[in-house]
Amino acid sequence: MTTEVETVGPEELLRYAEGVRDVYARAFAEPPWNEDPAAADEYVRRLARDVLRPGFTAAVSMSGGAVTGFATAWITPEVFPADRSYGQVAEALGPERTRAWLCGALEVDELAVAPEAHGAGVGAALLEAVAGHAPGGRCWLLTSVRAEAALRLYERTGWRRVDVPVPGKAALVVLLGPGHPGGAEVAAGTGGR
């Protein structure tokens, strides 16, 4: 069966909410995330608010009429948030790099692929669909250093890991997209604090 990836608007993404919920539940049930099914329900509730964020964009992959993956992104506010993991990211990067690298950049919030679609290029296609047109090439994301398959995908598609650990028990790491101007600093080894 053929998998198709397409960029969708907020209303269309919400029409796929049940499929998104199913993919989220299955993608994040395994290590390192170990989320229970209630987390998928919470994600869909949060998604209804997230689609209202400035610069929101999303992509879905479909095969045989079923959602096999999705990605969401939005523009990080100029005043860097402090909720969720943002405060820990700002602490790790420091105020100058946080402002220069992340504020006003496209932030990839979620990327999930159903287990049966792994290895078929779906994750890379979804990532390109949401981040390929980031303003000035500035895009970033946050993931766990324990998410080895995700890190391999990001690095294979040109994302650069910022070699500064994000404090907290989740073992998070910031990655800058392939066209991000801060990527050269990271590649040169001067991207730490």
Side-chain angles (χ1 to χ4, degrees):
M1 223 172 270
T2 307
T3 299
E4 295 182 22
V5 173
E6 67 176 301
T7 303
V8 295
E11 290 178 14
E12 189 172 3
L13 179 65
L14 293 176
R15 285 196 296 270
Y16 291 120
E18 189 54 39
V20 166
R21 187 222 166 276
D22 177 62
V23 169
Y24 185 100
R26 292 187 297 132
F28 294 112
E30 299 299 320
W33 310 111
N34 302 313
E35 292 190 10
D36 66 34
D41 295 331
E42 176 54 35
Y43 175 71
V44 171
R45 283 191 291 278
R46 185 176 58 124
L47 188 59
R49 296 184 305 274
D50 288 345
V51 299
L52 304 175
R53 291 175 181 259
F56 181 87
T57 186
V60 294
S61 62
M62 304 287 293
S63 181
V67 175
T68 58
F70 69 92
T72 59
W74 53 71
I75 302 297
T76 303
E78 290 297 332
V79 175
F80 199 69
D83 62 335
R84 297 175 53 186
S85 297
Y86 290 112
Q88 296 159 316
V89 168
E91 181 182 339
L93 294 180
E96 288 180 29
R97 286 194 175 89
T98 298
R99 192 171 29 263
W101 289 355
L102 310 184
C103 293
L106 185 78
E107 172 185 346
V108 177
D109 178 60
E110 291 293 351
L111 173 65
V113 176
E116 67 273 11
H118 288 183
V122 174
L126 288 165
L127 190 58
E128 174 61 26
V130 295
H133 303 290
R138 295 177 67 237
C139 55
W140 71 283
L141 60 81
L142 187 65
T143 194
S144 172
V145 296
R146 298 179 193 124
E148 294 171 7
L151 284 169
R152 283 192 303 274
L153 165 69
Y154 299 138
E155 291 170 349
R156 187 174 59 247
T157 56
W159 289 69
R160 296 193 184 270
R161 188 187 314 204
V162 178
D163 195 22
V164 177
V166 175
K169 65 180 182 179
L172 299 174
V173 63
V174 174
L175 288 98
L176 302 180
H180 196 297
E185 191 177 339
V186 170
T190 58
R193 270 176 98 171

